[in-house]
Structures are given as structure tokens and as C-alpha cells.
Amino acid sequence: MTTHASPPGSSTAGSTGTPPATDDLTAAVFRTTQQGEPFRRLRRSQRVFAAVATTAVLSLYLLYVLLSSYAPGLMAGKVVGNLNVALFLGLAQFAATFLAAWLYSRHANRRRDPLAEQIKDDIEQARIRAHSHIVAEGTAA
């Protein structure tokens, strides 16, 4: 489903070939949607996930840096053959990054995408109702 209206506050508002009343109603629909509970849940879900994932990955990195600086004996400890703890913790950084990306994708697919789709459908329905209202007023005048 394609929309051609600009979000409120954009520089192209009113230049889409639609009457100003339609743009005003579109802006009102967007404002109402942003103040609604589904949109708040969507934003909260994004913020919480991003905060937790960022904290976890950065904490692992900080642990690596601190251990490298303050516990060189531990980091030099052999694990298997000539492979030491520092190498395994360094590789764990890559694993943590890929794990965070996979969890983000999974979280988005399961939690945020269905909610975003619902919000998009609600916006489209509200825009259709608003447009119908303008058309009805135009034919009554």
C-alpha cells in the first residue's frame, strides 16, 4: 500500500497536489497516531531492546579492555595449545555482535513488525475516513 502524503512538519507538505484541508487532516492523523498507545508501545519496545542490547555488548567489550589492562596474567593464560584467554574473549566480541544482530532481527519480526503493521493499517483507515469526510463536505457545499 503506497501513501503519498508527507508526514507533518516536512517541507513538502501542501505540495503533493492535495488540497490544504487534506494535508491538515493527514497531519492530524499522524499526530493522533503518535499520541496513541500502540505507537508508545512500539517506541518503548525499541528503546528497551536497544538499551539492553547496547549495554550487554558494551559491557562485554569493557570487560575485555579492563582484563587486558589490569589482568594481563589472566589474559595470557593458555586455554588450548597456544590459544589464550585474550584470543577467546576477542572472538567473543564478534559472537556478541552477531548474537545482538540476530536477536534484534528476531525481536523486530516477532514484536515490533506486527505492531507497526497495525499502526500503518490504522493510519490508512483514518486517512480514508478523513478523505471521505472532506469529499462529503465538498459535495454538500
Side-chain angles (χ1 to χ4, degrees), residues 33-50 104 107-120 123:
T33 299
Q34 289 174 347
Q35 295 167 355
E37 183 57 30
F39 191 79
R40 282 192 209 127
R41 282 196 331 254
L42 181 67
R43 292 196 52 188
R44 187 179 326 118
S45 174
Q46 168 63 26
R47 281 193 308 264
V48 168
F49 184 87
Y104 177 84
H107 174 76
N109 289 336
R110 289 185 175 186
R111 304 257 172 118
R112 289 200 330 266
D113 288 353
L115 191 53
E117 192 66 33
Q118 174 196 350
I119 291 168
K120 185 179 90 169
I123 288 172

PDB file of all heavy atoms in Angstrom, residues 33-50 104 107-120 123:
ATOM      1  N   THR A  33      -1.967   9.429  15.898  1.00  0.00           N
ATOM      2  CA  THR A  33      -1.317   8.116  15.931  1.00  0.00           C
ATOM      3  C   THR A  33      -0.111   8.141  16.860  1.00  0.00           C
ATOM      4  O   THR A  33       0.084   7.219  17.662  1.00  0.00           O
ATOM      5  CB  THR A  33      -0.886   7.696  14.520  1.00  0.00           C
ATOM      6  OG1 THR A  33      -2.040   7.617  13.696  1.00  0.00           O
ATOM      7  CG2 THR A  33      -0.182   6.355  14.544  1.00  0.00           C
ATOM      8  N   GLN A  34       0.698   9.183  16.777  1.00  0.00           N
ATOM      9  CA  GLN A  34       1.889   9.279  17.622  1.00  0.00           C
ATOM     10  C   GLN A  34       1.551   9.378  19.097  1.00  0.00           C
ATOM     11  O   GLN A  34       2.354   9.001  19.939  1.00  0.00           O
ATOM     12  CB  GLN A  34       2.736  10.477  17.199  1.00  0.00           C
ATOM     13  CG  GLN A  34       3.411  10.273  15.875  1.00  0.00           C
ATOM     14  CD  GLN A  34       4.127  11.518  15.405  1.00  0.00           C
ATOM     15  OE1 GLN A  34       3.939  12.603  15.935  1.00  0.00           O
ATOM     16  NE2 GLN A  34       4.951  11.366  14.385  1.00  0.00           N
ATOM     17  N   GLN A  35       0.371   9.880  19.418  1.00  0.00           N
ATOM     18  CA  GLN A  35      -0.028  10.004  20.815  1.00  0.00           C
ATOM     19  C   GLN A  35      -0.764   8.772  21.322  1.00  0.00           C
ATOM     20  O   GLN A  35      -1.046   8.669  22.509  1.00  0.00           O
ATOM     21  CB  GLN A  35      -0.912  11.244  20.990  1.00  0.00           C
ATOM     22  CG  GLN A  35      -0.160  12.528  20.713  1.00  0.00           C
ATOM     23  CD  GLN A  35      -1.067  13.731  20.562  1.00  0.00           C
ATOM     24  OE1 GLN A  35      -2.281  13.600  20.565  1.00  0.00           O
ATOM     25  NE2 GLN A  35      -0.475  14.900  20.419  1.00  0.00           N
ATOM     26  N   GLY A  36      -1.035   7.819  20.435  1.00  0.00           N
ATOM     27  CA  GLY A  36      -1.781   6.626  20.804  1.00  0.00           C
ATOM     28  C   GLY A  36      -0.924   5.581  21.506  1.00  0.00           C
ATOM     29  O   GLY A  36       0.300   5.574  21.421  1.00  0.00           O
ATOM     30  N   GLU A  37      -1.597   4.683  22.188  1.00  0.00           N
ATOM     31  CA  GLU A  37      -0.926   3.624  22.955  1.00  0.00           C
ATOM     32  C   GLU A  37      -0.129   2.653  22.074  1.00  0.00           C
ATOM     33  O   GLU A  37       0.988   2.284  22.443  1.00  0.00           O
ATOM     34  CB  GLU A  37      -1.938   2.871  23.815  1.00  0.00           C
ATOM     35  CG  GLU A  37      -1.335   1.816  24.702  1.00  0.00           C
ATOM     36  CD  GLU A  37      -0.256   2.361  25.649  1.00  0.00           C
ATOM     37  OE1 GLU A  37      -0.332   3.530  26.053  1.00  0.00           O
ATOM     38  OE2 GLU A  37       0.672   1.585  25.976  1.00  0.00           O
ATOM     39  N   PRO A  38      -0.636   2.213  20.912  1.00  0.00           N
ATOM     40  CA  PRO A  38       0.172   1.290  20.097  1.00  0.00           C
ATOM     41  C   PRO A  38       1.512   1.905  19.685  1.00  0.00           C
ATOM     42  O   PRO A  38       2.538   1.229  19.707  1.00  0.00           O
ATOM     43  CB  PRO A  38      -0.708   1.026  18.873  1.00  0.00           C
ATOM     44  CG  PRO A  38      -2.093   1.276  19.336  1.00  0.00           C
ATOM     45  CD  PRO A  38      -1.985   2.380  20.353  1.00  0.00           C
ATOM     46  N   PHE A  39       1.511   3.188  19.322  1.00  0.00           N
ATOM     47  CA  PHE A  39       2.759   3.845  18.922  1.00  0.00           C
ATOM     48  C   PHE A  39       3.705   3.951  20.115  1.00  0.00           C
ATOM     49  O   PHE A  39       4.909   3.741  19.984  1.00  0.00           O
ATOM     50  CB  PHE A  39       2.456   5.233  18.346  1.00  0.00           C
ATOM     51  CG  PHE A  39       3.632   5.867  17.675  1.00  0.00           C
ATOM     52  CD1 PHE A  39       3.989   5.490  16.389  1.00  0.00           C
ATOM     53  CD2 PHE A  39       4.385   6.838  18.308  1.00  0.00           C
ATOM     54  CE1 PHE A  39       5.070   6.070  15.752  1.00  0.00           C
ATOM     55  CE2 PHE A  39       5.467   7.424  17.685  1.00  0.00           C
ATOM     56  CZ  PHE A  39       5.806   7.036  16.401  1.00  0.00           C
ATOM     57  N   ARG A  40       3.166   4.254  21.294  1.00  0.00           N
ATOM     58  CA  ARG A  40       4.004   4.304  22.508  1.00  0.00           C
ATOM     59  C   ARG A  40       4.619   2.940  22.805  1.00  0.00           C
ATOM     60  O   ARG A  40       5.780   2.847  23.179  1.00  0.00           O
ATOM     61  CB  ARG A  40       3.178   4.780  23.700  1.00  0.00           C
ATOM     62  CG  ARG A  40       2.973   6.265  23.708  1.00  0.00           C
ATOM     63  CD  ARG A  40       2.399   6.717  25.051  1.00  0.00           C
ATOM     64  NE  ARG A  40       1.615   7.891  24.791  1.00  0.00           N
ATOM     65  CZ  ARG A  40       0.358   8.071  25.138  1.00  0.00           C
ATOM     66  NH1 ARG A  40      -0.279   7.144  25.814  1.00  0.00           N
ATOM     67  NH2 ARG A  40      -0.272   9.171  24.835  1.00  0.00           N
ATOM     68  N   ARG A  41       3.815   1.881  22.656  1.00  0.00           N
ATOM     69  CA  ARG A  41       4.345   0.532  22.889  1.00  0.00           C
ATOM     70  C   ARG A  41       5.447   0.202  21.899  1.00  0.00           C
ATOM     71  O   ARG A  41       6.455  -0.411  22.267  1.00  0.00           O
ATOM     72  CB  ARG A  41       3.223  -0.508  22.775  1.00  0.00           C
ATOM     73  CG  ARG A  41       2.352  -0.583  23.984  1.00  0.00           C
ATOM     74  CD  ARG A  41       1.491  -1.842  24.051  1.00  0.00           C
ATOM     75  NE  ARG A  41       1.114  -2.412  22.785  1.00  0.00           N
ATOM     76  CZ  ARG A  41      -0.098  -2.344  22.248  1.00  0.00           C
ATOM     77  NH1 ARG A  41      -1.064  -1.703  22.854  1.00  0.00           N
ATOM     78  NH2 ARG A  41      -0.349  -2.913  21.093  1.00  0.00           N
ATOM     79  N   LEU A  42       5.266   0.605  20.645  1.00  0.00           N
ATOM     80  CA  LEU A  42       6.281   0.359  19.620  1.00  0.00           C
ATOM     81  C   LEU A  42       7.586   1.074  19.970  1.00  0.00           C
ATOM     82  O   LEU A  42       8.657   0.483  19.931  1.00  0.00           O
ATOM     83  CB  LEU A  42       5.764   0.832  18.258  1.00  0.00           C
ATOM     84  CG  LEU A  42       6.689   0.621  17.064  1.00  0.00           C
ATOM     85  CD1 LEU A  42       6.855  -0.867  16.780  1.00  0.00           C
ATOM     86  CD2 LEU A  42       6.128   1.330  15.847  1.00  0.00           C
ATOM     87  N   ARG A  43       7.495   2.322  20.337  1.00  0.00           N
ATOM     88  CA  ARG A  43       8.704   3.082  20.693  1.00  0.00           C
ATOM     89  C   ARG A  43       9.351   2.540  21.955  1.00  0.00           C
ATOM     90  O   ARG A  43      10.575   2.448  22.048  1.00  0.00           O
ATOM     91  CB  ARG A  43       8.355   4.563  20.865  1.00  0.00           C
ATOM     92  CG  ARG A  43       7.981   5.177  19.527  1.00  0.00           C
ATOM     93  CD  ARG A  43       7.996   6.647  19.546  1.00  0.00           C
ATOM     94  NE  ARG A  43       9.270   7.108  20.065  1.00  0.00           N
ATOM     95  CZ  ARG A  43       9.539   8.356  20.340  1.00  0.00           C
ATOM     96  NH1 ARG A  43       8.630   9.260  20.145  1.00  0.00           N
ATOM     97  NH2 ARG A  43      10.700   8.712  20.811  1.00  0.00           N
ATOM     98  N   ARG A  44       8.545   2.186  22.942  1.00  0.00           N
ATOM     99  CA  ARG A  44       9.079   1.636  24.194  1.00  0.00           C
ATOM    100  C   ARG A  44       9.788   0.320  23.930  1.00  0.00           C
ATOM    101  O   ARG A  44      10.887   0.071  24.454  1.00  0.00           O
ATOM    102  CB  ARG A  44       7.951   1.427  25.208  1.00  0.00           C
ATOM    103  CG  ARG A  44       8.428   1.028  26.585  1.00  0.00           C
ATOM    104  CD  ARG A  44       7.289   0.851  27.605  1.00  0.00           C
ATOM    105  NE  ARG A  44       6.182   1.757  27.418  1.00  0.00           N
ATOM    106  CZ  ARG A  44       4.930   1.375  27.133  1.00  0.00           C
ATOM    107  NH1 ARG A  44       4.631   0.101  26.990  1.00  0.00           N
ATOM    108  NH2 ARG A  44       3.973   2.257  26.999  1.00  0.00           N
ATOM    109  N   SER A  45       9.216  -0.514  23.084  1.00  0.00           N
ATOM    110  CA  SER A  45       9.836  -1.791  22.732  1.00  0.00           C
ATOM    111  C   SER A  45      11.200  -1.571  22.092  1.00  0.00           C
ATOM    112  O   SER A  45      12.175  -2.260  22.421  1.00  0.00           O
ATOM    113  CB  SER A  45       8.914  -2.553  21.780  1.00  0.00           C
ATOM    114  OG  SER A  45       9.531  -3.712  21.308  1.00  0.00           O
ATOM    115  N   GLN A  46      11.286  -0.602  21.195  1.00  0.00           N
ATOM    116  CA  GLN A  46      12.553  -0.291  20.537  1.00  0.00           C
ATOM    117  C   GLN A  46      13.573   0.221  21.544  1.00  0.00           C
ATOM    118  O   GLN A  46      14.721  -0.214  21.554  1.00  0.00           O
ATOM    119  CB  GLN A  46      12.334   0.748  19.433  1.00  0.00           C
ATOM    120  CG  GLN A  46      13.612   1.348  18.875  1.00  0.00           C
ATOM    121  CD  GLN A  46      14.517   0.345  18.201  1.00  0.00           C
ATOM    122  OE1 GLN A  46      14.070  -0.663  17.712  1.00  0.00           O
ATOM    123  NE2 GLN A  46      15.804   0.628  18.186  1.00  0.00           N
ATOM    124  N   ARG A  47      13.160   1.160  22.392  1.00  0.00           N
ATOM    125  CA  ARG A  47      14.101   1.746  23.353  1.00  0.00           C
ATOM    126  C   ARG A  47      14.613   0.711  24.342  1.00  0.00           C
ATOM    127  O   ARG A  47      15.809   0.670  24.630  1.00  0.00           O
ATOM    128  CB  ARG A  47      13.437   2.894  24.110  1.00  0.00           C
ATOM    129  CG  ARG A  47      13.379   4.179  23.335  1.00  0.00           C
ATOM    130  CD  ARG A  47      13.005   5.342  24.227  1.00  0.00           C
ATOM    131  NE  ARG A  47      11.814   5.127  25.013  1.00  0.00           N
ATOM    132  CZ  ARG A  47      10.601   5.532  24.669  1.00  0.00           C
ATOM    133  NH1 ARG A  47      10.424   6.192  23.550  1.00  0.00           N
ATOM    134  NH2 ARG A  47       9.571   5.295  25.451  1.00  0.00           N
ATOM    135  N   VAL A  48      13.736  -0.120  24.859  1.00  0.00           N
ATOM    136  CA  VAL A  48      14.143  -1.119  25.848  1.00  0.00           C
ATOM    137  C   VAL A  48      15.111  -2.118  25.225  1.00  0.00           C
ATOM    138  O   VAL A  48      16.165  -2.415  25.795  1.00  0.00           O
ATOM    139  CB  VAL A  48      12.915  -1.836  26.458  1.00  0.00           C
ATOM    140  CG1 VAL A  48      13.324  -3.057  27.251  1.00  0.00           C
ATOM    141  CG2 VAL A  48      12.124  -0.864  27.332  1.00  0.00           C
ATOM    142  N   PHE A  49      14.760  -2.626  24.052  1.00  0.00           N
ATOM    143  CA  PHE A  49      15.643  -3.604  23.413  1.00  0.00           C
ATOM    144  C   PHE A  49      17.002  -2.987  23.106  1.00  0.00           C
ATOM    145  O   PHE A  49      18.040  -3.591  23.364  1.00  0.00           O
ATOM    146  CB  PHE A  49      15.031  -4.174  22.136  1.00  0.00           C
ATOM    147  CG  PHE A  49      15.891  -5.243  21.540  1.00  0.00           C
ATOM    148  CD1 PHE A  49      15.750  -6.560  21.953  1.00  0.00           C
ATOM    149  CD2 PHE A  49      16.879  -4.948  20.619  1.00  0.00           C
ATOM    150  CE1 PHE A  49      16.567  -7.552  21.433  1.00  0.00           C
ATOM    151  CE2 PHE A  49      17.697  -5.924  20.100  1.00  0.00           C
ATOM    152  CZ  PHE A  49      17.540  -7.234  20.505  1.00  0.00           C
ATOM    153  N   ALA A  50      16.993  -1.788  22.537  1.00  0.00           N
ATOM    154  CA  ALA A  50      18.261  -1.138  22.185  1.00  0.00           C
ATOM    155  C   ALA A  50      19.112  -0.881  23.417  1.00  0.00           C
ATOM    156  O   ALA A  50      20.330  -1.082  23.392  1.00  0.00           O
ATOM    157  CB  ALA A  50      17.986   0.167  21.438  1.00  0.00           C
ATOM    158  N   TYR A 104      18.086  -8.867  17.564  1.00  0.00           N
ATOM    159  CA  TYR A 104      17.369  -7.672  17.096  1.00  0.00           C
ATOM    160  C   TYR A 104      16.398  -8.041  15.978  1.00  0.00           C
ATOM    161  O   TYR A 104      15.235  -7.644  15.995  1.00  0.00           O
ATOM    162  CB  TYR A 104      18.356  -6.616  16.603  1.00  0.00           C
ATOM    163  CG  TYR A 104      17.686  -5.399  16.037  1.00  0.00           C
ATOM    164  CD1 TYR A 104      17.262  -4.372  16.869  1.00  0.00           C
ATOM    165  CD2 TYR A 104      17.459  -5.290  14.674  1.00  0.00           C
ATOM    166  CE1 TYR A 104      16.629  -3.257  16.352  1.00  0.00           C
ATOM    167  CE2 TYR A 104      16.829  -4.174  14.148  1.00  0.00           C
ATOM    168  CZ  TYR A 104      16.417  -3.169  14.989  1.00  0.00           C
ATOM    169  OH  TYR A 104      15.782  -2.077  14.474  1.00  0.00           O
ATOM    170  N   HIS A 107      13.550 -10.081  17.428  1.00  0.00           N
ATOM    171  CA  HIS A 107      12.668  -9.218  18.213  1.00  0.00           C
ATOM    172  C   HIS A 107      11.798  -8.359  17.286  1.00  0.00           C
ATOM    173  O   HIS A 107      10.594  -8.219  17.510  1.00  0.00           O
ATOM    174  CB  HIS A 107      13.518  -8.327  19.133  1.00  0.00           C
ATOM    175  CG  HIS A 107      12.741  -7.303  19.869  1.00  0.00           C
ATOM    176  ND1 HIS A 107      11.963  -7.600  20.960  1.00  0.00           N
ATOM    177  CD2 HIS A 107      12.608  -5.971  19.679  1.00  0.00           C
ATOM    178  CE1 HIS A 107      11.391  -6.503  21.405  1.00  0.00           C
ATOM    179  NE2 HIS A 107      11.767  -5.498  20.644  1.00  0.00           N
ATOM    180  N   ALA A 108      12.398  -7.793  16.251  1.00  0.00           N
ATOM    181  CA  ALA A 108      11.649  -6.951  15.320  1.00  0.00           C
ATOM    182  C   ALA A 108      10.571  -7.758  14.598  1.00  0.00           C
ATOM    183  O   ALA A 108       9.434  -7.301  14.463  1.00  0.00           O
ATOM    184  CB  ALA A 108      12.592  -6.311  14.308  1.00  0.00           C
ATOM    185  N   ASN A 109      10.926  -8.945  14.148  1.00  0.00           N
ATOM    186  CA  ASN A 109       9.956  -9.778  13.426  1.00  0.00           C
ATOM    187  C   ASN A 109       8.798 -10.218  14.302  1.00  0.00           C
ATOM    188  O   ASN A 109       7.657 -10.278  13.850  1.00  0.00           O
ATOM    189  CB  ASN A 109      10.640 -11.004  12.836  1.00  0.00           C
ATOM    190  CG  ASN A 109      11.529 -10.659  11.677  1.00  0.00           C
ATOM    191  OD1 ASN A 109      11.351  -9.644  11.024  1.00  0.00           O
ATOM    192  ND2 ASN A 109      12.523 -11.501  11.433  1.00  0.00           N
ATOM    193  N   ARG A 110       9.073 -10.539  15.542  1.00  0.00           N
ATOM    194  CA  ARG A 110       8.035 -11.073  16.428  1.00  0.00           C
ATOM    195  C   ARG A 110       7.223 -10.007  17.152  1.00  0.00           C
ATOM    196  O   ARG A 110       6.031 -10.179  17.368  1.00  0.00           O
ATOM    197  CB  ARG A 110       8.658 -11.986  17.480  1.00  0.00           C
ATOM    198  CG  ARG A 110       9.146 -13.274  16.919  1.00  0.00           C
ATOM    199  CD  ARG A 110       9.636 -14.161  18.014  1.00  0.00           C
ATOM    200  NE  ARG A 110      10.005 -15.462  17.496  1.00  0.00           N
ATOM    201  CZ  ARG A 110      10.366 -16.464  18.249  1.00  0.00           C
ATOM    202  NH1 ARG A 110      10.440 -16.326  19.549  1.00  0.00           N
ATOM    203  NH2 ARG A 110      10.678 -17.623  17.703  1.00  0.00           N
ATOM    204  N   ARG A 111       7.875  -8.936  17.557  1.00  0.00           N
ATOM    205  CA  ARG A 111       7.199  -7.960  18.421  1.00  0.00           C
ATOM    206  C   ARG A 111       6.859  -6.659  17.711  1.00  0.00           C
ATOM    207  O   ARG A 111       5.755  -6.157  17.837  1.00  0.00           O
ATOM    208  CB  ARG A 111       8.082  -7.643  19.632  1.00  0.00           C
ATOM    209  CG  ARG A 111       8.465  -8.863  20.425  1.00  0.00           C
ATOM    210  CD  ARG A 111       7.646  -8.965  21.677  1.00  0.00           C
ATOM    211  NE  ARG A 111       7.899 -10.242  22.323  1.00  0.00           N
ATOM    212  CZ  ARG A 111       8.412 -10.365  23.512  1.00  0.00           C
ATOM    213  NH1 ARG A 111       8.735  -9.316  24.200  1.00  0.00           N
ATOM    214  NH2 ARG A 111       8.582 -11.563  24.037  1.00  0.00           N
ATOM    215  N   ARG A 112       7.844  -6.078  17.035  1.00  0.00           N
ATOM    216  CA  ARG A 112       7.637  -4.734  16.521  1.00  0.00           C
ATOM    217  C   ARG A 112       6.962  -4.704  15.160  1.00  0.00           C
ATOM    218  O   ARG A 112       6.135  -3.828  14.907  1.00  0.00           O
ATOM    219  CB  ARG A 112       8.964  -3.982  16.485  1.00  0.00           C
ATOM    220  CG  ARG A 112       9.426  -3.646  17.890  1.00  0.00           C
ATOM    221  CD  ARG A 112      10.422  -2.542  17.959  1.00  0.00           C
ATOM    222  NE  ARG A 112      11.283  -2.387  16.821  1.00  0.00           N
ATOM    223  CZ  ARG A 112      12.492  -2.938  16.715  1.00  0.00           C
ATOM    224  NH1 ARG A 112      12.974  -3.670  17.672  1.00  0.00           N
ATOM    225  NH2 ARG A 112      13.210  -2.717  15.644  1.00  0.00           N
ATOM    226  N   ASP A 113       7.298  -5.616  14.266  1.00  0.00           N
ATOM    227  CA  ASP A 113       6.700  -5.588  12.934  1.00  0.00           C
ATOM    228  C   ASP A 113       5.180  -5.745  12.945  1.00  0.00           C
ATOM    229  O   ASP A 113       4.492  -4.994  12.259  1.00  0.00           O
ATOM    230  CB  ASP A 113       7.341  -6.631  12.028  1.00  0.00           C
ATOM    231  CG  ASP A 113       8.757  -6.255  11.608  1.00  0.00           C
ATOM    232  OD1 ASP A 113       9.181  -5.118  11.908  1.00  0.00           O
ATOM    233  OD2 ASP A 113       9.434  -7.090  10.996  1.00  0.00           O
ATOM    234  N   PRO A 114       4.619  -6.696  13.718  1.00  0.00           N
ATOM    235  CA  PRO A 114       3.157  -6.783  13.749  1.00  0.00           C
ATOM    236  C   PRO A 114       2.504  -5.507  14.305  1.00  0.00           C
ATOM    237  O   PRO A 114       1.479  -5.056  13.790  1.00  0.00           O
ATOM    238  CB  PRO A 114       2.882  -7.977  14.672  1.00  0.00           C
ATOM    239  CG  PRO A 114       4.115  -8.791  14.625  1.00  0.00           C
ATOM    240  CD  PRO A 114       5.237  -7.811  14.456  1.00  0.00           C
ATOM    241  N   LEU A 115       3.123  -4.920  15.311  1.00  0.00           N
ATOM    242  CA  LEU A 115       2.584  -3.686  15.885  1.00  0.00           C
ATOM    243  C   LEU A 115       2.691  -2.536  14.886  1.00  0.00           C
ATOM    244  O   LEU A 115       1.763  -1.739  14.731  1.00  0.00           O
ATOM    245  CB  LEU A 115       3.328  -3.352  17.180  1.00  0.00           C
ATOM    246  CG  LEU A 115       2.748  -2.258  18.053  1.00  0.00           C
ATOM    247  CD1 LEU A 115       1.283  -2.512  18.374  1.00  0.00           C
ATOM    248  CD2 LEU A 115       3.558  -2.153  19.338  1.00  0.00           C
ATOM    249  N   ALA A 116       3.809  -2.441  14.178  1.00  0.00           N
ATOM    250  CA  ALA A 116       3.979  -1.403  13.161  1.00  0.00           C
ATOM    251  C   ALA A 116       2.966  -1.586  12.035  1.00  0.00           C
ATOM    252  O   ALA A 116       2.427  -0.603  11.502  1.00  0.00           O
ATOM    253  CB  ALA A 116       5.396  -1.432  12.611  1.00  0.00           C
ATOM    254  N   GLU A 117       2.703  -2.816  11.664  1.00  0.00           N
ATOM    255  CA  GLU A 117       1.710  -3.091  10.624  1.00  0.00           C
ATOM    256  C   GLU A 117       0.319  -2.658  11.079  1.00  0.00           C
ATOM    257  O   GLU A 117      -0.447  -2.071  10.301  1.00  0.00           O
ATOM    258  CB  GLU A 117       1.720  -4.586  10.275  1.00  0.00           C
ATOM    259  CG  GLU A 117       0.957  -4.928   9.036  1.00  0.00           C
ATOM    260  CD  GLU A 117       1.566  -4.349   7.766  1.00  0.00           C
ATOM    261  OE1 GLU A 117       2.784  -4.226   7.670  1.00  0.00           O
ATOM    262  OE2 GLU A 117       0.778  -4.010   6.858  1.00  0.00           O
ATOM    263  N   GLN A 118      -0.011  -2.920  12.334  1.00  0.00           N
ATOM    264  CA  GLN A 118      -1.298  -2.497  12.884  1.00  0.00           C
ATOM    265  C   GLN A 118      -1.405  -0.969  12.861  1.00  0.00           C
ATOM    266  O   GLN A 118      -2.429  -0.416  12.471  1.00  0.00           O
ATOM    267  CB  GLN A 118      -1.463  -2.999  14.314  1.00  0.00           C
ATOM    268  CG  GLN A 118      -2.714  -2.477  14.995  1.00  0.00           C
ATOM    269  CD  GLN A 118      -2.684  -2.662  16.506  1.00  0.00           C
ATOM    270  OE1 GLN A 118      -1.814  -3.338  17.032  1.00  0.00           O
ATOM    271  NE2 GLN A 118      -3.614  -2.036  17.186  1.00  0.00           N
ATOM    272  N   ILE A 119      -0.348  -0.288  13.260  1.00  0.00           N
ATOM    273  CA  ILE A 119      -0.337   1.177  13.272  1.00  0.00           C
ATOM    274  C   ILE A 119      -0.500   1.708  11.847  1.00  0.00           C
ATOM    275  O   ILE A 119      -1.270   2.647  11.608  1.00  0.00           O
ATOM    276  CB  ILE A 119       0.953   1.703  13.924  1.00  0.00           C
ATOM    277  CG1 ILE A 119       0.950   1.389  15.414  1.00  0.00           C
ATOM    278  CG2 ILE A 119       1.115   3.199  13.683  1.00  0.00           C
ATOM    279  CD1 ILE A 119       2.287   1.608  16.097  1.00  0.00           C
ATOM    280  N   LYS A 120       0.194   1.104  10.889  1.00  0.00           N
ATOM    281  CA  LYS A 120       0.088   1.532   9.496  1.00  0.00           C
ATOM    282  C   LYS A 120      -1.338   1.356   8.986  1.00  0.00           C
ATOM    283  O   LYS A 120      -1.886   2.248   8.332  1.00  0.00           O
ATOM    284  CB  LYS A 120       1.062   0.740   8.629  1.00  0.00           C
ATOM    285  CG  LYS A 120       1.093   1.205   7.181  1.00  0.00           C
ATOM    286  CD  LYS A 120       2.075   0.415   6.368  1.00  0.00           C
ATOM    287  CE  LYS A 120       1.336  -0.765   5.814  1.00  0.00           C
ATOM    288  NZ  LYS A 120       2.030  -1.530   4.806  1.00  0.00           N
ATOM    289  N   ILE A 123      -3.528   4.042  10.445  1.00  0.00           N
ATOM    290  CA  ILE A 123      -3.307   5.325   9.773  1.00  0.00           C
ATOM    291  C   ILE A 123      -4.032   5.350   8.434  1.00  0.00           C
ATOM    292  O   ILE A 123      -4.700   6.334   8.095  1.00  0.00           O
ATOM    293  CB  ILE A 123      -1.802   5.593   9.583  1.00  0.00           C
ATOM    294  CG1 ILE A 123      -1.149   5.916  10.923  1.00  0.00           C
ATOM    295  CG2 ILE A 123      -1.566   6.721   8.589  1.00  0.00           C
ATOM    296  CD1 ILE A 123       0.364   6.000  10.863  1.00  0.00           C
TER     297      ILE A 123
END
